[in-house]
Amino acid sequence: MSVEPRAEVAPQRTPPPLWDGTASMAPETAAQRRVVHRICTRVAPEGTEIGVGELPPGGLQVWIDSPAPPAEREAWVLHHRMAREVSLAGWHCEADRDRLLVLGWSAACLHNRVRLLQSGLRRLSGFEQTAQRAVQLEGQDPGSGPAAGIVAATCASIERRLRWPERLAELAGYERSSALPHLQLLLAQVIGLETKVAAACAEHLVMARVLARAVCEHHARHGDLRRAQREVLAETRRWVHASSMIRGSAARPGPAGTRPHMGLTERRIAASVINHGTSSNHGVSDHGAARAIPAPAAAAPRAGHAGHEEGAH
C-alpha cells in the first residue's frame, strides 16, 4: 500500500494531533478512533497516556501523550508493539519513534486475521483444559467465602486466559465496511469467524461456571476439595471428550480431513447417545452380536441446572 508523503515531525517528542477538534469527525472515523484507542491502551504500560487523532485525508495517528515522554528506544518499541496489535485487527500501520499511523484496510492483514480466527476456533474446540482449570477454582478454598464469588473469580480468570473475549470486545460498536469488493468479502469472513469464536468462548465460560459451582457443592457435602474435583471431572468426562466418540456421518471428516466444530451442547448430546456407531467393541458382545448399552444416567453434573445456564447466554 502506498502512503502519502507527510511533513517532517516537529522537534518535540510528542507530535500534536493533526485534528484539533474544530471540525467534527465523521461517525465511522470516531468509532475507529475509539477502537484504536482501546487496542493501544491495552498494549501500553500502565499509566501511559495514549493520544489518537485524525490524519487527513484519511486514517489516524497515535502518539504517547504522557507528561514525561519515554526514552527514544522505549517509544520506538511501544509504537511498533501497538502497530502489531492494530494490524491484527486488519489495518495497515506504519510506526516510527514519534507516532503510529493507522491507514486503511489491508488485504494481507485481514487474511492474517482470518488465519488467527480459524486457529483460535480449532483450539477452542477442545474443552479439556478449561475443565481442568475450572475445577481448580484458581487455587481458592471453597470454604473460605461465598460460592458465588469463587465461581465468578474462576470464570473471570478463564476468560482472561481465553484472550479472545477481551480482543473482540475492543471492536464493539464499530461497523466495519469498505468500498472495495474484495475487502468487503474479507471483512464479512472476519466478522463471521469472530461470531463463531465468541460463541465458542461463551460455551467455555458456561462450562467453567457449571463445573466451578459443582465443585463448591460437592465440597459443601463432604469437605474434601480433592475428592470434589475428582468427582466433578469424572461426571463430566463423557461429554468433555464426546468428540472422540463419534465416528459416523455426524462428524465425517471434511475435504481437508478436519472434523466440524463440536460445541458444548453437541458434546453433551453425543455423550448421551446409546450407540455412536464406533468401530470399537463398545456395544458388541464377545460373539459379535450387538447388545444395547443403557444411556448414562447423568451426562453432566446437574444437567438440568447446566441447561439453565446455557439458556442465559
Side-chain angles (χ1 to χ4, degrees), residues 7-65:
E8 290 292 330
V9 179
Q12 59 198 36
R13 290 284 303 134
T14 302
L18 298 183
W19 177 72
D20 57 7
T22 56
S24 59
M25 276 187 175
E28 59 273 14
T29 305
Q32 182 190 15
R33 182 188 183 189
R34 288 193 294 271
V35 170
V36 170
H37 187 267
R38 291 171 193 162
I39 296 173
C40 293
T41 300
R42 168 172 56 82
V43 175
E46 186 176 357
T48 302
E49 296 293 331
I50 300 297
V52 182
E54 195 172 9
L55 183 69
L60 298 172
Q61 67 165 343
V62 182
W63 66 94
I64 301 171
D65 203 21

Side-chain angles (χ1 to χ4, degrees), residues 68-306:
E72 180 177 325
R73 178 171 178 78
E74 293 177 0
W76 188 93
V77 170
L78 179 55
H79 282 124
H80 281 77
R81 188 178 298 155
M82 292 190 295
R84 176 184 178 278
E85 291 296 320
V86 173
S87 66
L88 290 177
W91 286 297
H92 176 78
C93 298
E94 293 193 3
D96 56 25
R97 68 177 186 178
D98 296 307
R99 60 182 174 181
L100 163 67
L101 302 182
V102 182
L103 306 177
W105 295 116
S106 162
C109 292
L110 288 172
H111 277 296
N112 185 48
R113 184 164 183 82
V114 167
R115 289 192 294 269
L116 287 175
L117 288 163
Q118 290 172 337
S119 176
L121 196 59
R122 285 192 296 270
R123 289 195 297 271
L124 288 167
S125 65
F127 290 84
E128 292 79 6
Q129 290 186 0
T130 297
Q132 291 285 345
R133 288 169 179 156
V135 300
Q136 294 299 323
L137 303 180
E138 289 300 306
Q140 301 177 89
D141 182 1
S144 63
I150 293 174
V151 171
T154 302
C155 291
S157 174
I158 290 175
E159 184 175 13
R160 288 191 298 270
R161 288 177 180 271
L162 291 174
R163 301 181 66 183
W164 277 111
E166 179 185 12
R167 283 156 174 75
L168 295 180
E170 292 172 345
L171 296 165
Y174 182 51
E175 296 290 335
R176 286 163 284 179
S177 62
S178 173
L180 301 177
H182 72 286
L183 292 180
Q184 290 176 0
L185 293 174
L186 278 172
L187 286 169
Q189 185 180 10
V190 165
I191 294 170
L193 285 169
E194 286 175 353
T195 302
K196 293 181 179 180
V197 168
C201 289
E203 289 181 326
H204 279 257
L205 295 177
V206 166
M207 187 183 72
R209 182 164 58 253
V210 172
L211 298 191
R213 184 172 296 158
V215 170
C216 292
E217 292 173 352
H218 282 243
H219 179 269
R221 287 198 291 269
H222 49 65
D224 188 337
L225 178 57
R226 292 189 178 276
R227 176 183 167 188
Q229 293 167 341
R230 288 195 303 269
E231 289 174 351
V232 171
L233 282 177
E235 290 172 355
T236 61
R237 188 168 292 118
R238 286 187 295 272
W239 50 275
V240 168
H241 298 278
S243 60
S244 63
M245 300 166 64
I246 293 185
R247 306 285 186 231
S249 59
R252 195 160 290 174
T258 59
R259 294 186 177 182
H261 171 71
M262 289 187 66
L264 186 60
T265 302
E266 288 85 348
R267 289 167 183 263
R268 291 173 58 196
I269 293 173
S272 65
V273 174
I274 294 177
N275 187 349
H276 298 283
T278 62
S279 58
S280 63
N281 291 331
H282 295 295
V284 181
S285 66
D286 293 340
H287 301 287
R291 58 184 177 87
I293 300 178
R302 299 173 61 85
H305 184 67

